[in-house]
Amino acid sequence: MAVFRSGLLVLTTPLTSLAPRLAPILSSAARLVNHTLYVHLQPGMSLGGPAQPQSSPVQATFEVIDFITHLYAGADVHRHLDVRILLTNIRTKSCLPPLPTSVQNLAHPPEVVLTDFQTLDGSQYNPAKQQLERYATSCYSCCPQLSSVLLYPDYGPAVPPVGSLGVHLPSTIRPTSPVARSAKQPVRGHQRGAVGGTFDRLHNAHKVLLSVACILAQEQLVVGVADKDLLKSKLLPELLQPYTERVEHLSEFLVDIKPSLTFDIIPLLDPYGPAGSDPSLEFLVVSEETYRGGMAVNRFRLENNLEELTLYQIQLLKDLNHKENEEDKVSSSSFRQQMLGNLLRPPYKRPELPPGFYVIGLTGISGSGKSSVAQRLKGLGAYIIDSDHLGHRAYAPGGPAYQPVVEAFGTDILHKDGIINRKVLGSRVFGNKKQLKILTDIMWPVIAKLAREEMDQAMAEGKRVCVIDAAMLLEAGWQNMVHEVWTVVIPETEAVRRIMERDGLSEAAAQSRLQNQMSGQQLVDQSHVVLSTMWEPHITQRQVEKAWALLQKRIAEAPSGQ
């Protein structure tokens, strides 16, 4: 059976009986579609009659919102699928105008339309498929050669399975008062509201939060996207998508699911954002984690003589497959952790190096644990070239850099025995860009030459992978002699603590050392693989083993001579 990049799933079964069937329906859709799956809720619609089926409004009740959450939670099993539940026909009680008659353009025109509609004979009934195709193309922009699939043709008569009615779905919106609410209770609509978040690598928990906000808003939704100072406390901030990229994905999703809304997407630079100052806003959607922040926003508004916002607190989606040290909820932080060890961009081609010989450049800020990672790679079979050791060799009397350095900086940098006093030399160049450049112009080419000699030695010993361990790898331009750059990252505060503990420096001195290096973000922006030593040693080992295994696979699959 063909696999399509994008598809449209039209669900016609009533929600109460659809819930227990949802997992197999999503699994079937996931086998047919490999990129974007749009979901259109049209419970009760029939494709069996001769008349063209028409889209009808679905009233937004708590049951509908809970079902949307249930669907996104189930879709999290199929993370290769970008699932988007279309809200065009879902209307709140306060807003039930006629549905739009024009065809909605989707970001990824569906190539296949699927449905859970069951024919009486349980077969792929052609008239029903034709009705499905006509219905899909009357509502949404689809590819010209749209295919159709009736899921579960073997179910037989369209009767809900026994025991399926009355299935209780977990509540999405936590009540703000102890008063119980009915599943069939309509959801109140508002003209303008707000929602905020980081929205890194838009995932299904984000989509629940945004979908609820889109259902509640009738005219405009203000979306705050965390940036700058608000990102500093994030886990692995170096792996966050850039602000513009997050906004691009967010905007595409929002316009797809509810094009009738006006979206105002703005950078969120403080904890309050527009929710704290915009008098026209009526509601704020928060998660369980950010509910206290929503309460703080309301206190701030009251202090500034503004009305409180109605808060809608959304339950978190649980991640049943989370690993050790990952969060138990669906989370961008966990996704970033899962990126550690993966290849982030294509390797460099190095045809000048012998076939079958692969070179990794390993770097990281001071205190990152780079050298410990190098030792772990050595344990897995890599040949390690330590640039610090090469520097010591170059500085030694008779070494290739000894005489040029003495000529450039004078004999007063020498100990009585003629050995270069690196502390004295360091004090000469520290904070002096001109002097530092003189030194690096001497040292970096020399160390690079010694590294190439070491690479020759590694090849002579039959090693297939060589790792150049160098803090200044990118500054020196040595990425020109490696296939991949691997960077070890940790929070700057942890790096400062480690430097102080390791080298006996003051906090100011440790921070000054980091300020004279490329930042972790600058390193990651030019890296192929990222690792982190901020957790227990066995977790670091697991990362390194993962990165090593993926590297071996890349080497085995690489064309000869690359």
Side-chain angles (χ1 to χ4, degrees):
M1 187 174 286
V3 178
F4 305 89
R5 274 188 64 79
S6 56
L8 174 67
L9 174 60
V10 180
L11 296 176
T12 64
T13 305
L15 301 186
T16 51
S17 55
L18 181 56
R21 297 180 181 178
L22 200 53
I25 286 173
L26 284 171
S27 295
S28 297
R31 287 194 292 270
L32 290 167
V33 180
N34 67 6
H35 188 266
T36 307
L37 178 66
Y38 294 103
V39 181
H40 175 75
L41 300 182
Q42 195 57 272
M45 185 179 75
S46 174
L47 298 171
Q52 168 69 37
Q54 299 296 315
S55 187
S56 59
V58 176
Q59 187 171 65
T61 61
F62 285 100
E63 178 189 42
V64 169
I65 288 180
D66 291 345
F67 179 80
I68 289 171
T69 301
H70 185 62
L71 199 156
Y72 274 126
D76 208 56
V77 176
H78 310 287
R79 286 188 178 170
H80 72 284
L81 268 185
D82 178 6
V83 175
R84 305 180 182 192
I85 302 173
L86 301 167
L87 307 175
T88 309
N89 65 323
I90 298 177
R91 304 300 176 92
T92 56
K93 183 179 180 180
S94 58
C95 180
L96 283 173
L99 290 172
T101 56
S102 60
V103 174
Q104 179 184 338
N105 291 318
L106 298 170
H108 308 282
E111 300 169 344
V112 60
V113 56
L114 313 101
T115 185
D116 61 333
F117 177 78
Q118 298 174 46
T119 60
L120 293 176
D121 61 359
S123 66
Q124 288 283 348
Y125 184 50
N126 287 333
K129 291 177 66 175
Q130 291 167 6
Q131 287 281 54
L132 176 63
E133 291 173 18
R134 283 199 293 268
Y135 175 73
T137 53
S138 71
C139 296
Y140 303 104
S141 59
C142 299
C143 290
Q145 302 301 320
L146 183 69
S147 299
S148 58
V149 175
L150 306 184
L151 300 175
Y152 296 119
D154 55 340
Y155 259 172
V159 177
V162 177
S164 67
L165 295 177
V167 173
H168 176 70
L169 299 179
S171 175
T172 302
I173 301 178
R174 176 171 290 179
T176 54
S177 69
V179 179
R181 62 165 172 79
S182 164
K184 302 293 185 182
Q185 180 181 331
V187 175
R188 175 192 170 197
H190 304 266
Q191 297 305 306
R192 299 183 76 246
V195 64
T198 308
F199 301 114
D200 180 47
R201 290 172 177 81
L202 202 65
H203 52 64
N204 289 318
H206 289 143
K207 293 174 182 179
V208 171
L209 196 74
L210 294 164
S211 295
V212 171
C214 285
I215 288 173
L216 295 171
Q218 305 307 309
E219 290 185 2
Q220 184 177 34
L221 183 65
V222 177
V223 186
V225 181
D227 198 21
K228 297 184 179 178
D229 287 350
L230 291 188
L231 302 179
K232 289 182 178 178
S233 62
K234 298 294 180 183
L235 181 72
L236 300 169
E238 300 90 350
L239 291 174
L240 279 164
Q241 291 174 313
Y243 174 81
T244 53
E245 192 173 331
R246 285 181 282 137
V247 167
E248 180 183 349
H249 295 314
L250 184 62
S251 178
E252 181 189 283
F253 174 78
L254 291 170
V255 171
D256 259 351
I257 67 168
K258 194 168 181 181
S260 61
L261 274 185
T262 299
F263 298 105
D264 187 9
I265 303 178
I266 61 172
L268 197 58
L269 304 176
D270 64 73
Y272 301 114
S277 58
D278 189 337
S280 68
L281 294 178
E282 301 169 56
F283 73 87
L284 177 65
V285 178
V286 296
S287 70
E288 289 179 79
E289 288 184 334
T290 58
Y291 183 73
R292 288 186 178 182
M295 297 287 285
V297 166
N298 271 341
R299 287 195 298 271
F300 185 77
R301 287 178 69 92
L302 289 174
E303 290 168 3
N304 289 276
N305 300 314
L306 296 174
E307 289 188 12
E308 287 185 292
L309 301 174
T310 302
L311 295 183
Y312 291 90
Q313 180 185 354
I314 308 303
Q315 303 276 50
L316 298 171
L317 290 191
K318 296 298 181 182
D319 183 357
L320 301 179
N321 298 312
H322 73 281
K323 296 175 182 169
E324 182 185 5
N325 77 291
E326 293 178 357
E327 296 182 289
D328 62 356
K329 61 171 185 172
V330 177
S331 158
S332 298
S333 298
S334 295
F335 289 0
R336 291 194 294 277
Q337 283 179 253
Q338 292 160 16
M339 291 172 64
L340 296 172
N342 290 346
L343 187 69
L344 304 181
R345 50 181 56 87
Y348 299 129
K349 295 181 180 180
R350 295 287 180 244
E352 69 275 15
L353 292 175
F357 186 68
Y358 211 82
V359 185
I360 301 297
L362 180 64
T363 191
I365 63 173
S366 184
S368 63
K370 171 179 58 64
S371 296
S372 70
V373 169
Q375 289 307 303
R376 294 179 189 278
L377 289 168
K378 182 178 181 180
L380 293 171
Y383 185 98
I384 306 299
I385 298 175
D386 188 329
S387 63
D388 279 345
H389 290 170
L390 297 183
H392 284 294
R393 279 173 51 191
Y395 275 125
Y402 180 85
Q403 197 59 40
V405 169
V406 172
E407 289 175 0
F409 293 94
T411 57
D412 54 340
I413 64 168
L414 301 176
H415 286 290
K416 290 182 180 179
D417 58 4
I419 296 175
I420 292 175
N421 186 331
R422 296 185 70 174
K423 285 188 176 181
V424 172
L425 179 59
S427 66
R428 290 276 188 90
V429 301
F430 185 77
N432 188 321
K433 291 183 179 180
K434 184 178 179 181
Q435 291 289 90
L436 180 61
K437 187 175 187 309
I438 292 172
L439 180 61
T440 56
D441 283 350
I442 295 170
M443 294 300 300
W444 286 348
V446 168
I447 296 175
K449 184 174 183 296
L450 294 175
R452 289 190 179 91
E453 292 173 0
E454 287 281 310
M455 289 162 63
D456 291 339
Q457 178 62 34
M459 283 186 282
E461 293 180 14
K463 293 290 185 179
R464 297 179 67 238
V465 177
C466 178
V467 176
I468 302 175
D469 174 0
M472 307 299 285
L473 182 92
L474 298 178
E475 291 93 329
W478 295 340
Q479 68 267 38
N480 292 329
M481 56 183 185
V482 306
H483 292 90
E484 298 176 18
V485 175
W486 290 18
T487 293
V488 184
V489 297
I490 56 167
E492 188 174 306
T493 52
E494 175 63 13
V496 167
R497 187 194 67 77
R498 291 184 185 182
I499 295 168
M500 292 169 62
E501 185 178 290
R502 181 190 67 194
D503 300 337
L505 297 179
S506 66
E507 183 176 353
Q511 288 175 336
S512 181
R513 179 177 294 182
L514 291 178
Q515 288 167 3
N516 283 278
Q517 301 175 2
M518 291 177 73
S519 68
Q521 185 66 65
Q522 290 172 313
L523 296 175
V524 167
D525 287 345
Q526 301 182 58
S527 298
H528 299 83
V529 173
V530 176
L531 303 164
S532 180
T533 61
M534 63 184 293
W535 296 283
E536 292 81 359
H538 72 277
I539 293 176
T540 302
Q541 180 66 24
R542 195 163 64 210
Q543 279 179 41
V544 173
E545 289 175 357
K546 170 187 172 182
W548 180 260
L550 292 174
L551 172 65
Q552 299 309 306
K553 186 177 179 181
R554 288 197 293 280
I555 292 173
E557 295 174 351
S560 178
Q562 292 188 12

